[in-house]
Amino acid sequence: MTAGATLFEKVWNAHVVQRFDGDRDLIFIDRHVLQETTSAAAFTGLKRNGRPVVHPELTLATQDHIVSTEPVRDETSNPGGLELMRLMRANAAAHGIRHFGIEDPRQGIVHVIGPELGAALPGLTLACGDSHTATVGGLGCLGIGVGTSEVEHVLATQTLLLQRPKTMRIRFDGRPGPGVAAKDLILAAIGKFGISAGRAHAVEYAGAAIQALPVEGRLTVCNMSIELGARLGVIAPDDATFQYIAGRPYAPRGQDWEAALAEWRTLASTPDAVFARDVAIDCAGLAPQVTWGTTQEDVIGVDGRIPDPATYGDRDRRQRAAAALRYMDLKPGDAMEGLKVDIVFIGSCTNGRLSDLEAAARVARGRKVAPRVRAIVVPGSAQVKREAEAQGLDRVFLEAGFEWRSPGCSMCVSINQDVVPPGQRCLATSNRNFENRQGPASRTHLASPAMAAAAAVTGAITDSRKLAT
Amino acid sequence: MRKPFTAFRGIAAPLPLSNVNTDAIIPSDYLRSETTDLARGLFGRWRFDAEGKERPDFVLNRPPFRRAEILFAGENFGCGSSREAAAWALQRFGIRVVAAPSFADIFYENAFRNGLLAAVVAPDDLAAMVAALEAHPDDAQVEVDLASQTLVRGNAARIGFQVPAFRREALLRGDDEIAGTLRHVETIGRYVADDRARRGWAHRAIAPKENP
Ligand code: SF4
């Protein structure tokens, strides 16, 4: 029955409630995760139409985007966010939805807590009013990012009416060298294929370099599917995945576990599966990646030089690159390495998990944050924070002069108080380097956690492999 | 139900940039509350300087485009975050149609769900329209006819646009998608019953009652 099917098709097809014309399917949603900035209007819509939440028991809510990340905090620590935080809390309470507020030991960024709690599982569909929902694809779960109308649609029906995405595979061939992280793999792929390469596609990441990644690295890769323009991204679950999931709070147990495991082992794309698009990238010899411009495809190895827009054949691309260089205050031919930074941000749903903080700490240990540099570490969840503290990573960072903050989206989206001042240059482990993303006139370079730590302690963009211990 | 989308004539503005992202369409400052002025926030950093003064060179600050109801934009319009406020801000400003060679997936969905027409036009048609609007801002009225899928500027060029048939019908009728799905509530119920029997593990509650 599953001969010739891709992982994506197997999971998608198992969730089709009804097919419609125009390649549209009504898809059942197994898990729905809510955050405070994209759900308030959805609840208002439900109320206006007198509609209930049909499956509150399959729904989770948290506060992450607008919360303060002060080390000691409560809802009032960011007064500007109070309205949305209180609405999330009140709406969850009114509908019997479990809510992990700012004070809860399970609070964290939506895409970090889904996998961490065992709410995201292989073979499931998970929707969230946030574009980085594809993160959970790292477990073989279809993560569908939606807007607020769709949040309301899921609340009211536990389904989504969606255009069926086309299939695409990106094979990561060859073995990347030591010190090259999951973030570097996905940035390199975005650089090679472009920010709209995946539009209307579900992308499967495959190949030796992906299989070799630990589960948290796979979450990082799938996280940036939206930066490829894709609808979602997935990676075939394997024994490493199953080990990661076993024993998590909402993971199946006992007989359920056995049944789930048996199904999960059948999910991988069959060898004869055909993808509408099939491309490959060679990871051997890849250097740590850093973005230089204002889209994620503007990326080079840390050992590279800022490209000259004049060399681009396409006029539109040429103009965009020239504008990006002006915005970023860079000149063609400048070396990427050695570029001074003002701020370093380690965190976000891309790189705010324990292994990310470990990688950064390995570079930071025994060193000092350069004078004039502000470096902040923001764990992706309260659990990540606890686990890091149990290992003493907070001490490593604090002794080196980093700030050790409370979990949230923080400087990734800068809608709380964590903002990059105008004109300052920030090396960030997050996923968007758009103009003004981290604050008006902020300049963002995206890179891995080790690269971020290296920039913090040297005060400039530095090949983290030189500081490896 | 929403108001059905009927044919109209309005000012069209050229914004021939590709990859216009949702952070540019509606900066995150406007996401901090349910009640922000999204119309003012539209392209906030492009329309206003740091002091909040209008940047006179930005297209939507120039007559007649200040009253634009149609926007002609470049490829991959609406990429980036899923914020539906991008569609809302365009509408609050008065934009009813965005025409571009391509749109980012989530923005495209969000647009139609709010009754905003995302019209896919050929790159050559876009270039010609943009050139005409820039050369003749005094002749920027464009007629939008969804039924025949055409855009006509003044007495000049008529260009076609693509829109999937089901989306066109939904806009023309002013459908509420949730109401549409709820008509299939029995089918959904059957799916859930069957799937529970098949994959019980997937349906176990993640929000046990003892700790709401
Ligand atoms: S960390 Fe950034 S990208 Fe991730 S959910 Fe938060 S705001 Fe979105």
Side-chain angles (χ1 to χ4, degrees), chain A residues 64-65 109-111 130 132 348-349 409 412-413 431 437:
Chain A
D64 56 0
H65 279 63
I109 303 173
V110 270
H111 317 305
D130 194 283
H132 289 93
S348 88
C349 60
C409 294
C412 172
V413 63
N431 47 49
R437 168 81 175 182

Side-chain angles (χ1 to χ4, degrees), chain A residues 198-391:
Chain A
R199 199 169 47 232
H201 286 77
V203 177
E204 177 168 345
Y205 305 96
I210 295 291
Q211 282 162 354
L213 284 177
V215 171
E216 293 193 349
R218 300 178 192 181
L219 296 170
T220 299
V221 168
C222 286
N223 173 273
M224 293 192 76
S225 299
I226 189 81
E227 276 63 55
L228 267 168
R231 199 67 185 82
L232 57 91
V234 282
I235 292 173
D238 59 12
D239 286 335
T241 320
F242 311 143
Q243 242 168 40
Y244 170 93
I245 294 167
R248 295 196 177 259
Y250 302 141
R253 290 173 201 286
Q255 285 188 345
D256 275 354
W257 173 258
E258 297 306 325
L261 201 58
E263 186 185 324
W264 295 346
R265 292 194 191 283
T266 68
L267 290 177
S269 297
T270 49
D272 58 339
V274 177
F275 293 81
R277 264 192 91 187
D278 209 351
V279 296
I281 178 169
D282 184 8
C283 305
L286 203 65
Q289 303 286 299
V290 189
T291 64
W292 52 265
T294 53
T295 74
Q296 299 87 348
E297 69 190 29
D298 304 335
V299 66
I300 53 174
V302 62
D303 51 358
R305 292 188 173 272
I306 308 295
D308 185 349
T311 60
Y312 292 128
D314 176 57
R315 178 164 152 267
D316 178 63
R317 177 99 173 88
R318 201 154 60 228
Q319 286 176 346
R320 279 190 288 124
L325 289 185
R326 272 196 304 280
Y327 183 85
M328 295 295 291
D329 191 26
L330 295 172
K331 284 194 302 296
D334 282 357
M336 179 55 96
E337 194 162 20
L339 192 63
K340 298 257 184 301
V341 302
D342 305 296
I343 297 203
V344 168
F345 166 54
I346 298 173
S348 88
C349 60
T350 313
N351 282 130
R353 282 170 285 270
L354 185 63
S355 55
D356 299 314
L357 305 193
E358 288 169 344
R362 276 196 294 277
V363 174
R365 189 182 298 273
R367 296 194 166 96
K368 290 282 180 220
V369 170
R372 307 175 300 97
V373 171
R374 179 183 181 205
I376 74 171
V377 184
V378 186
S381 71
Q383 179 173 330
V384 169
K385 184 164 189 260
R386 276 193 306 281
E387 288 173 353
E389 287 173 353
Q391 287 189 32

